[in-house]
Amino acid sequence: MNCLVCVKQVPDTDKITIDPVRHTLIREGVSSILNPYDGYALETALRLKEQCGGAVIVLSMGPPQAKEVLEKCLAVGADGAYLVSGKAFGGADTLATSYTLSAAAAALSRRLSLSFDLILCGKQAMDGDTAQVGPSLAQQMQLPQVTNVRELQPDGESLLIHRQTTQGEEVLRCALPALVTVSATPYALRMPTVRGKLQARKKEIPILDETCMDVDLDRCGLRGSPTRVIQTATKSVQGCCTWLSDSPQGSAAQQLAQLLTRLGAAEKGV
Ligand code: FAD
């Protein structure tokens, strides 16, 4: 089974700050990581490869430094890694991102002479956080999609998929080729071995620009993005802690019930 895993490099979340004028993330001096859900997606693909064979190819769109996360993906067992990068792709919103990724996926299919049976994305990215790229990419590639996947197993020509919902879990059978967006799976991304790290350093990570893909540049980057972030605000969170214990005023449970009733009433403005 040939898998294409879309991964995004995101800033380490504890350190996110937003430029108040340009409404963009301040990336200078901030360390970057592989988007955690993309780690789950990659681990899912590597497990499928162990069960069914095939190749795991990793694709990212971003600035040249996004190669760092791609090298990590190679170190844990991805067979190839590609980065879409260039001025034409900067400032993309989710629509332009998914369009460009779909063009890159088609270019990779041609370049590697293979067809992808499964496209895997993370459920959402920790910086943009829209959870739109996976579903939009499925639409661009005209593939069936299953979102919020916790686990999947190959089942003949299809996949048996466990999908998380607010009510519990759905089990679905999905024909291939398809796209899934992966949430937190029961297994974390494996650690790289020293050998894996050394091999990854030697592997080339080709950059894909507009000359390598069949793309309409009017649909890429800022030019192809109908959405703009016009305002951002940082929410200040004030912590407050109340210790409760059994006392002459009542048991801790009774006091908690009273406190929650009071807070609920205050929130409703009663
Ligand atoms: P999501 O849709 O949350 O990502 C889901 C999955 O798609 C990821 O786990 C990954 O598997 C894949 N994926 C996403 N991006 C890439 C990539 N570059 N390369 C490879 N795989 C990828 N854009 C909008 O259209 N509307 C907005 O309201 C918006 N608000 C933003 C707010 C902030 C603060 C920031 C920093 C960005 C915002 N963006 C917005 C831009 C957004 O970062 C880009 O569109 C981004 O490339 C994809 O959106 P996302 O991060 O929400 O991804």
Side-chain angles (χ1 to χ4, degrees):
M1 183 171 317
N2 296 319
C3 295
L4 179 69
V5 188
C6 296
V7 300
K8 187 178 181 189
Q9 188 187 42
V10 294
D12 213 338
T13 38
D14 291 349
K15 296 160 195 156
I16 275 188
T17 40
I18 294 175
D19 185 320
V21 179
R22 295 164 62 206
H23 308 301
T24 52
L25 290 181
I26 300 171
R27 292 177 191 272
E28 289 78 33
V30 181
S31 60
S32 295
I33 54 168
L34 172 68
N35 180 47
Y37 288 117
D38 303 353
Y40 291 119
L42 177 57
E43 181 61 32
T44 304
L46 293 172
R47 284 170 183 246
L48 279 174
K49 180 186 158 184
E50 281 159 3
Q51 287 177 67
C52 314
V56 174
I57 305 297
V58 183
L59 173 65
S60 188
M61 181 171 96
Q65 58 266 34
K67 274 191 173 183
E68 283 166 31
V69 296
L70 291 174
E71 195 177 297
K72 282 186 187 149
C73 298
L74 289 172
V76 293
D79 298 289
Y82 296 82
L83 177 66
V84 177
S85 200
K87 271 197 178 153
F89 307 114
D93 69 3
T94 53
L95 186 68
T97 299
S98 56
Y99 167 71
T100 312
L101 290 176
S102 73
L108 284 177
S109 265
R110 287 193 297 274
R111 185 177 176 136
L112 303 170
S113 303
L114 55 82
S115 52
F116 293 112
D117 303 296
L118 187 63
I119 315 289
L120 299 100
C121 291
K123 182 179 83 158
Q124 65 198 86
M126 287 173 74
D127 53 354
D129 218 9
T130 63
Q132 290 173 2
V133 170
S136 179
L137 180 57
Q139 178 67 26
Q140 308 268 7
M141 297 181 79
Q142 301 199 339
L143 291 174
Q145 60 172 296
V146 183
T147 55
N148 234 359
V149 170
R150 265 199 87 238
E151 228 178 328
L152 48 82
Q153 291 104 31
D155 183 32
E157 297 293 292
S158 49
L159 285 176
L160 207 59
I161 299 181
H162 296 252
R163 174 176 188 271
Q164 219 171 356
T165 72
T166 44
Q167 277 82 38
E169 195 172 80
E170 280 175 0
V171 184
L172 308 166
R173 182 170 288 112
C174 180
L176 296 171
L179 181 146
V180 293
T181 74
V182 180
S183 70
T185 56
Y187 30 79
L189 179 61
R190 62 196 63 188
M191 296 295 288
T193 58
V194 175
R195 190 158 171 259
K197 280 186 186 175
L198 292 174
Q199 282 177 341
R201 260 182 233 156
K202 285 187 209 146
K203 280 194 184 166
E204 193 202 349
I205 300 176
I207 301 258
L208 303 177
D209 63 14
E210 60 272 31
T211 61
C212 311
M213 297 185 278
D214 187 11
V215 274
D216 174 358
L217 289 182
D218 285 339
R219 297 178 66 187
C220 297
L222 198 58
R223 194 153 34 133
S225 298
T227 48
R228 296 280 182 281
V229 179
I230 51 166
Q231 197 176 5
T232 51
T234 309
K235 198 175 171 187
S236 68
V237 182
Q238 284 175 344
C240 132
C241 176
T242 307
W243 292 99
L244 300 173
S245 54
D246 293 345
S247 72
Q249 281 81 46
S251 68
Q254 282 170 330
Q255 291 177 60
L256 178 62
Q258 283 165 6
L259 186 67
L260 291 175
T261 311
R262 262 207 321 276
L263 286 174
E267 213 154 79
K268 284 184 201 145
V270 180

